Amino acid sequence: MRISNFSIKRPVFTIVTMLLVIILGGVSLLKIPVTLIPELNPPIGVVVTSYPGASPTEVNEKVTKPLEATLATLPGIKKVQSTSQEGANLIVLEFNWSTNIEDVQLDILQRLDMTPLPSDAENPSFLKFDPAQFPIIQLSLRAENNDVDVRVLAEALEKELRRIEGVASVNVSGKLVEEVQVTLDEAKLVDKGLTQADVVQIIQTNNVSLPGDPVSTDEGKMLTTRILSTLTSPEDIADLIVSVNPLDGKTLTVGDVAMVERTEQASTTETRANEHPAVLMSVLQESGTNTAEVSEAFQKALDELLKKEQFSGIAADILVDQGDYVNLAINNIGTSLLLGGLFAMIILFVFLRGVKSPLIIGIAIPYSVIVTFVLMFFADFTLNIMTLGALALGIGMLVDNAIVVIENIERQLGLGKDPIEAAKLGTKEVAMAITASTMTTIAVFIPVMFIEGLIGQIFTEFALTISFSLLASLSVALTVVPMMASRLLKTKSENINEIRRESRFYKGYQSSIVWVLHHRFLVLATAVVLFAVSLFGLLKIGTEFLPATDEGFVSVSVNLENGAAVTETEKIVATIEDRLKKEAEVDVYVSLIGGTQQSQSRGQTSANQAEMYVKLVPLEERERSIFEFVEEVEQDLQSEIGEKAEIAFNVATSSGSAPNTLTFRLTDSNEQRLHESVENVQQELLKIDRVTDVSNDLENTLQEIQIEVDREKAKDYGFVPAQIAQTVNQMTRGQLTTQMIVEDGTVLSVYTSFGQSFNESIEALKAMQLRSPAGLFVKLNDIADVSVQEGPVSIRRSDQAAAVAFFVDYETKESLGGISDLVDKALEKAELPPETQVVFSGDRELYDSAIDDMLLAVALAIVLVYIVMAAQFESFKYPFVIMFTVPLMIIGVAIALFVTNTLLGVTSVIGILVLVGIVVNNGIVLVDYINQQKVEGISTYEAILLATQDRLRPILMTALTTILGLLPLALGIGEGTEMNQPMGIAVIGGLVVSTLLTLYIVPIVYSLIDKETRKLS
């Protein structure tokens, strides 16, 4: 090879080039952003429309359906799913992964503008899915004593923390919000013949600031004019005159018919952390920033602020910290990388029994990794668990090429060649073999880059990173290794190869080769049987989408019967808190009573709901995984709470999957038929033993007070229904009247309401008095029928058909594939009509779509590997011999997954894909050497025996370095390693078995296709 000869001839040039690459690699490593997983930009958009006061049914008919009909024909659209609820709707648009959401955004906005909607509905807004909108840190700020109002201090903290570089925003849930409340007295208003609207009008007309036209002054200036009448305090509002008695001239002020005060906004929610008053804080990072760096800077600033006297009364508890988890995951995989390299070096010292040769090979590991960092930087990759996992997976393979080269150089030195000649000849003999083996390994990753969807996004960087590292290792093996070998190694005084051949181990292997060559069909039949059994076993192993990551965090949703008071919700939460208090593994728990964080961000509350966040101590400090903890605690709480409330533990993982939850939808154009199907499916699902809970949308109904206007009675009093509806709305909810700037510069909203006068009972609502156009006051009960009715909380649709979503929770020990089979059987028993369709979502949908692509990728990889080898060997039959090593790996994969109780998922299949490229390497080295010996005139039989002896050592060395290099990854020690662990297990299992069998199967198949040995007896 010319490049090898050049490197040997120009050692200084080679060393200088190495140093330059090392410098570039160091700079690149510092510049590469650190994230948890590759940046994902799924083509998903959301359309949100507000329709104040409308019921879910009205929203569905008047807003959702027209929008769906318009958006369903968008180019590249895959799914249209909608949810209609009181006063608003949400439509999720899912496009094909080949669609760029930026390209269709303008088309979406144009269609939204063209869709006819009710005049009182607000304009629809479109939002793109952006991962940067999810918080990287969530924490609770709790008061350590009752004298501190944590909400006031949280607001001051929020202002300081926003200034941190890389932080986009800091949101606080449950913070103190002040306003001016004008609480009306209905009896006094009725007595004076006034209504809420009269008071609102008086306040609004007295709080004005309007510009006028510019006016010329005597000094020749043009000055703008502004008419001012501003209210700056609650007292100013209370002193406003509402009316004047014409008989005695007495004035009636707002303060005479209402109580005006500056107070905090009324709220039915409560937030507490470890049973202390608290608020929740969420931190969002700027797009493109380094998650780990932003997290570190934020925590440092927070710690410094909390040390100040101003914030001495509060403590912070971190619930979720992506940056911290990123560092843990990266460090753990980095440790696996270093340990793998160390183990590989140990193998080299054991086999080569010297210092110089292992050190020469050892240079291939860090140098190849540094070169990879340079390529990653220019490819705009991030340092994440996938790219580092690729390096950890390839760490043992990085020395394979160097081992083959150095071992052959040593063989030449043993034959009496001088170091320079040995380096040239030794490299030349194996250059084609190691190039072919590297190209075949890289070829298997080409199909991965063509896979669409989530898997394609996640594993593309993985595939390219490992390809970069292997190309780097090949260049090192062909340049640096021969150059250093020619300068550091010496001619051997004895023929080490002959000495090795006389050893008991080599003689035993030689005897076994002779035996298998004379019992070829027996050995092949045994291999075929083992392959068939293993393939059957592999198909029976449970399946998963992606391995769940244990981040030590779980959220708990609590739902009581609709209409339940907040006091009842608080009792259920207190029961859960008491149970969590007993768990030593719980670090902190935060309770949000009277709503959820999402609803609070929209300014909505729900007395019958609560949300809890539980953070466990680090993984190394506990005996149970988060999944085992959840299963045990959830079962205990459900038996204790029973039918009082629905409790759901939700473990979210970094991959976005929902462990132990299967979701699907039933869709049908006929709602009555759909409801019957839902009932049948629900009954069948509840019969499954391994299912812990089944819920669906139809179970979630809402009791509401419906006020049905009697149009005849209303007409008699001069009312129209819209007037009644608007008046009742304003009297029960209150009305935003104006905004005022008070003396301290704070902008406060002014709300005019009757307080809780009409919210305490139905009777109080019925007794509400409305003023007719004639000036008479009429009770609501006299012109409308007030009753309690039941209706849907929300209406779901999928692809323009009515839909009902099912959520099936199952035991931790059950796999996704196992529960899918049971659910499929239950759906068959439900005997659904042909018109009712079942559409799976979540992990099941992702697995079903990904596994077909993955299996296609494996098949393509096998074809590509064969093509690459055919091109290298300039032959179709020799690659055919080598391809017999591929089925052998299935035996090892099946054994490894079964013994370690590992599920077959996307990462396991990626491991199998990698194996396709690795297992052929040993075959390439053997076949290439046999062909070389035949060219020199040796008979096929003798060439096979010679090749198996001379190539046994490098084959075992390369296999062991790869296996031990992968061992730390397969052990999966620490957080963040779960994603790559199945990959390591599959590769180790497949490589162990295929290496052992290749040493026998390849010689057998070669002897069968060669004319000289075909009829060997």
Side-chain angles (χ1 to χ4, degrees):
M1 293 285 284
R2 291 182 182 177
I3 188 171
S4 302
N5 294 339
F6 179 83
S7 300
I8 294 168
K9 194 181 296 183
R10 302 283 299 273
V12 174
F13 180 87
T14 307
I15 292 170
V16 169
T17 305
M18 280 181 64
L19 292 173
L20 177 63
V21 172
I22 289 169
I23 292 168
L24 285 174
V27 175
S28 299
L29 181 58
L30 295 173
K31 295 285 186 181
I32 297 173
V34 180
T35 59
L36 186 61
I37 58 175
E39 187 175 342
L40 302 175
N41 292 299
I44 295 174
V46 176
V47 174
V48 181
T49 313
S50 180
Y51 188 11
S55 69
T57 304
E58 287 179 297
V59 172
N60 184 54
E61 295 298 325
K62 296 179 181 179
V63 176
T64 303
K65 287 185 178 180
L67 285 173
E68 280 182 344
T70 304
L71 298 170
T73 55
L74 282 165
I77 193 75
K78 185 179 176 184
K79 289 181 186 174
V80 179
Q81 299 181 61
S82 66
T83 303
S84 304
Q85 55 194 34
E86 184 177 353
N89 85 331
L90 182 143
I91 301 175
V92 178
L93 306 173
E94 185 178 337
F95 294 87
N96 296 320
W97 280 84
S98 57
T99 303
N100 188 337
I101 199 76
E102 303 285 346
D103 296 338
V104 294
Q105 183 175 354
L106 183 61
D107 197 0
I108 292 170
L109 294 173
Q110 287 176 343
R111 292 181 185 224
L112 292 179
D113 290 339
M114 291 165 55
T115 307
L117 297 177
S119 57
D120 46 349
E122 296 179 8
N123 291 329
S125 55
F126 172 69
L127 305 170
K128 291 180 293 186
F129 179 87
D130 183 3
Q133 293 173 346
F134 295 97
I136 61 163
I137 297 176
Q138 276 194 309
L139 66 143
S140 66
L141 296 172
R142 58 183 164 88
E144 296 184 305
N145 56 68
N146 295 329
D147 299 331
V148 176
D149 191 337
V150 70
R151 297 172 301 174
V152 176
L153 295 180
E155 194 167 350
L157 260 180
E158 179 189 353
K159 292 175 183 176
E160 294 293 328
L161 293 170
R162 278 180 182 167
R163 299 163 57 191
I164 299 169
E165 187 177 353
V167 171
S169 66
V170 178
N171 302 323
V172 177
S173 299
K175 64 181 179 181
L176 178 67
V177 179
E178 283 192 304
E179 65 184 14
V180 174
Q181 293 180 1
V182 180
T183 308
L184 302 170
D185 185 318
E186 187 194 22
K188 290 180 180 178
L189 283 177
V190 172
D191 183 54
K192 300 298 182 181
L194 299 170
T195 65
Q196 179 183 10
D198 297 326
V199 177
V200 168
Q201 187 178 7
I202 289 295
I203 298 172
Q204 288 175 340
T205 53
N206 279 275
N207 188 42
V208 294
S209 174
L210 291 174
D213 274 346
V215 175
S216 300
T217 64
D218 296 337
E219 291 80 14
K221 294 182 179 180
M222 289 289 289
L223 300 180
T224 59
T225 57
R226 180 165 294 278
I227 302 91
L228 295 173
S229 174
T230 56
L231 304 171
T232 59
S233 68
E235 289 73 23
D236 288 349
I237 296 175
D239 292 339
L240 291 177
I241 297 173
V242 179
S243 65
V244 178
N245 191 325
L247 299 177
D248 55 16
K250 285 185 178 182
T251 58
L252 181 73
T253 64
V254 172
D256 293 331
V257 293
M259 181 173 67
V260 185
E261 58 182 342
R262 177 177 176 174
T263 183
E264 67 177 86
Q265 194 175 75
S267 174
T268 58
T269 64
E270 178 188 355
T271 306
R272 59 194 186 207
N274 288 2
E275 300 179 26
H276 293 285
V279 296
L280 275 174
M281 183 175 281
S282 301
V283 182
L284 278 73
Q285 70 176 1
E286 293 174 354
S287 183
T289 51
N290 190 316
T291 304
E293 288 180 2
V294 174
S295 167
E296 187 178 349
F298 180 87
Q299 292 211 42
K300 184 180 178 182
L302 179 64
D303 290 340
E304 289 176 358
L305 286 169
L306 291 179
K307 288 176 185 175
K308 293 184 178 180
E309 184 68 27
Q310 179 187 358
F311 303 111
S312 59
I314 60 174
D317 297 300
I318 303 291
L319 294 170
V320 177
D321 183 355
Q322 275 191 27
D324 192 36
Y325 186 76
V326 165
N327 283 330
L328 273 173
I330 296 297
N331 289 338
N332 285 330
I333 295 179
T335 303
S336 299
L337 185 67
L338 293 173
L339 286 174
L342 179 63
F343 290 159
M345 288 301 298
I346 291 171
I347 289 296
L348 297 177
F349 281 111
V350 169
F351 271 85
L352 297 175
R353 295 180 183 177
V355 175
K356 292 180 179 178
S357 291
L359 286 179
I360 292 171
I361 297 172
I363 290 172
I365 296 176
Y367 186 60
S368 299
V369 171
I370 289 168
V371 173
T372 305
F373 287 144
V374 176
L375 296 171
M376 284 174 62
F377 174 76
F378 287 108
D380 201 24
F381 288 179
T382 62
L383 206 62
N384 52 65
I385 59 174
M386 296 313 302
T387 50
L388 266 182
L391 287 174
L393 184 68
I395 195 71
M397 292 188 282
L398 295 183
V399 295
D400 286 0
N401 294 330
I403 286 172
V404 174
V405 170
I406 202 77
E407 202 277 336
N408 207 42
I409 292 172
E410 282 203 335
R411 191 177 68 83
Q412 293 295 334
L413 289 169
L415 294 172
K417 303 281 196 312
D418 67 86
I420 292 179
E421 185 63 26
K424 289 180 178 179
L425 190 58
T427 307
K428 182 181 178 182
E429 282 185 348
V430 296
M432 177 183 167
I434 63 172
T435 303
S437 61
T438 303
M439 290 300 109
T440 54
T441 307
I442 292 173
V444 303
F445 295 113
I446 294 174
V448 174
M449 288 180 271
F450 291 100
I451 294 175
E452 289 189 351
L454 182 65
I455 297 305
Q457 292 256 322
I458 290 177
F459 284 101
T460 295
E461 286 191 15
F462 171 91
L464 287 172
T465 300
I466 201 168
S467 300
F468 292 160
S469 66
L470 291 174
L471 285 172
S473 75
L474 177 63
S475 67
V476 170
L478 293 175
T479 56
V480 178
V481 171
M483 181 274 293
M484 295 187 72
S486 68
R487 295 301 186 274
L488 298 177
L489 300 183
K490 305 297 181 186
T491 305
K492 307 292 182 183
S493 57
E494 55 188 357
N495 193 332
I496 297 174
N497 292 315
E498 291 298 330
I499 296 172
R500 285 198 195 111
R501 286 173 186 170
E502 296 302 317
S503 67
R504 183 181 299 177
F505 176 73
Y506 270 74
K507 281 185 175 181
Y509 175 59
Q510 184 78 0
S511 299
S512 65
I513 287 291
V514 172
W515 187 88
V516 298
L517 286 175
H518 289 84
H519 299 82
R520 294 177 293 187
F521 293 105
L522 175 63
V523 176
L524 285 177
T526 305
V528 169
V529 170
L530 286 172
F531 169 72
V533 172
S534 300
L535 186 61
F536 177 77
L538 195 63
L539 296 174
K540 291 297 179 184
I541 290 174
T543 58
E544 64 179 352
F545 174 53
L546 288 174
T549 51
D550 186 346
E551 298 176 29
F553 176 78
V554 59
S555 62
V556 187
S557 59
V558 180
N559 287 283
L560 278 72
E561 183 183 3
N562 286 306
V566 72
T567 51
E568 295 302 311
T569 308
E570 198 278 334
K571 289 177 185 176
I572 298 296
V573 171
T575 303
I576 300 173
E577 288 176 336
D578 290 341
R579 178 67 175 82
L580 294 173
K581 207 186 302 180
K582 299 173 185 175
E583 297 291 336
E585 293 164 324
V586 173
D587 181 21
V588 62
Y589 52 87
V590 177
S591 307
L592 195 62
I593 306 166
T596 64
Q597 193 175 5
Q598 187 179 8
S599 66
Q600 277 200 3
S601 66
R602 298 196 303 262
Q604 300 172 349
T605 60
S606 184
N608 68 311
Q609 288 186 327
E611 201 165 54
M612 300 180 70
Y613 307 98
V614 184
K615 175 72 182 297
L616 304 188
V617 296
L619 187 60
E620 62 269 14
E621 296 177 25
R622 49 189 160 95
E623 296 179 358
R624 290 180 292 180
S625 70
I626 185 72
F627 313 107
E628 292 167 335
F629 169 85
V630 165
E631 187 171 22
E632 186 177 322
V633 173
E634 188 173 17
Q635 286 177 354
D636 291 348
L637 285 171
Q638 284 181 345
S639 61
E640 184 178 352
I641 293 171
E643 299 295 322
K644 297 177 187 175
E646 286 184 11
I647 302 170
F649 281 66
N650 307 300
V651 183
T653 70
S654 56
S655 62
S657 64
N660 305 118
T661 304
L662 182 73
T663 57
F664 64 90
R665 301 184 305 277
L666 293 185
T667 65
D668 200 320
S669 56
N670 186 304
E671 290 194 25
Q672 180 60 38
R673 188 170 55 214
L674 177 62
H675 290 184
E676 291 172 3
S677 298
V678 168
E679 184 64 31
N680 294 337
V681 170
Q682 180 85 0
Q683 290 175 3
E684 292 298 334
L685 291 175
L686 290 171
K687 294 176 184 177
I688 302 174
D689 292 335
R690 294 170 192 176
V691 167
T692 56
D693 185 49
V694 180
S695 59
N696 66 64
D697 290 341
L698 292 185
E699 294 175 343
N700 196 15
T701 57
L702 176 69
Q703 278 194 329
E704 60 183 10
I705 298 171
Q706 292 186 357
I707 303 169
E708 189 172 347
V709 177
D710 186 324
R711 284 192 291 273
E712 290 300 321
K713 292 181 179 178
K715 186 179 69 173
D716 291 343
Y717 287 102
F719 288 107
V720 292
Q723 181 187 359
I724 297 170
Q726 186 176 12
T727 304
V728 172
N729 177 282
Q730 292 172 352
M731 291 179 72
T732 53
R733 288 188 168 189
Q735 189 175 353
L736 174 61
T737 305
T738 188
Q739 286 187 318
M740 58 188 286
I741 303 173
V742 294
E743 290 88 343
D744 59 8
T746 307
V747 178
L748 299 179
S749 297
V750 179
Y751 281 89
T752 305
S753 70
F754 288 88
Q756 295 297 309
S757 300
F758 306 118
N759 301 85
E760 292 175 343
S761 69
I762 296 177
E763 295 307 316
L765 183 65
K766 290 179 179 179
M768 174 191 290
Q769 297 194 64
L770 285 70
R771 188 177 65 184
S772 70
L776 298 173
F777 281 89
V778 182
K779 289 184 179 181
L780 179 62
N781 199 35
D782 292 337
I783 53 175
D785 180 31
V786 183
S787 61
V788 177
Q789 301 291 334
E790 197 169 82
V793 174
S794 61
I795 298 172
R796 192 186 298 263
R797 285 167 58 80
S798 179
D799 293 328
Q800 303 188 71
V804 174
F806 275 85
F807 306 91
V808 182
D809 296 334
Y810 54 92
E811 296 174 354
T812 305
K813 61 185 179 183
E814 185 57 81
S815 68
L816 174 65
I819 199 67
S820 294
D821 290 340
L822 294 173
V823 169
D824 288 343
K825 289 176 183 176
L827 291 170
E828 285 179 18
K829 292 179 182 176
E831 297 179 351
L832 300 176
E835 297 84 359
T836 304
Q837 294 184 347
V838 180
V839 182
F840 285 94
S841 55
D843 282 10
R844 168 72 183 269
E845 179 194 19
L846 291 169
Y847 176 80
D848 287 345
S849 62
I851 201 65
D852 291 338
D853 286 343
M854 295 306 302
L855 293 175
L856 178 62
V858 171
L860 282 174
I862 293 171
V863 173
L864 288 172
V865 165
Y866 179 82
I867 290 170
V868 169
M869 289 192 298
Q872 291 284 339
F873 282 100
E874 193 60 36
S875 167
F876 288 109
K877 70 175 181 179
Y878 294 123
F880 178 74
V881 174
I882 298 166
M883 292 306 293
F884 271 85
T885 60
V886 174
L888 301 179
M889 71 183 183
I890 297 298
I891 302 169
V893 171
I895 293 171
L897 295 181
F898 179 77
V899 170
T900 58
N901 197 28
T902 302
L903 299 175
L904 184 67
V906 170
T907 47
S908 308
V909 179
I910 287 286
I912 294 172
L913 188 69
V914 172
L915 274 170
V916 173
I918 298 175
V919 296
V920 296
N921 294 347
N922 296 332
I924 289 171
V925 171
L926 270 177
V927 171
D928 182 60
Y929 196 77
I930 294 170
N931 289 345
Q932 287 182 27
Q933 300 308 309
K934 286 174 65 178
V935 169
E936 292 179 9
I938 298 174
S939 68
T940 303
Y941 183 73
E942 291 299 324
I944 290 172
L945 294 179
L946 190 62
T948 51
Q949 279 197 331
D950 287 353
R951 288 292 170 255
L952 174 63
R953 193 159 168 263
I955 285 173
L956 291 179
M957 285 173 67
T958 55
L960 284 171
T961 52
T962 304
I963 290 165
L964 288 179
L966 281 169
L967 192 59
L969 194 69
L971 290 174
I973 301 168
E975 287 101 330
T977 56
E978 300 98 333
M979 188 83 80
N980 293 298
Q981 187 180 10
M983 206 183 307
I985 291 170
V987 174
I988 286 178
L991 195 54
V992 167
V993 174
S994 70
T995 299
L996 295 174
L997 292 179
T998 296
L999 291 170
Y1000 295 101
I1001 299 298
V1002 168
I1004 288 173
V1005 179
Y1006 194 101
S1007 69
L1008 287 170
I1009 69 162
D1010 193 278
K1011 293 179 181 179
E1012 284 186 42
T1013 52
R1014 190 174 298 161
K1015 296 182 179 179
L1016 190 67
S1017 59

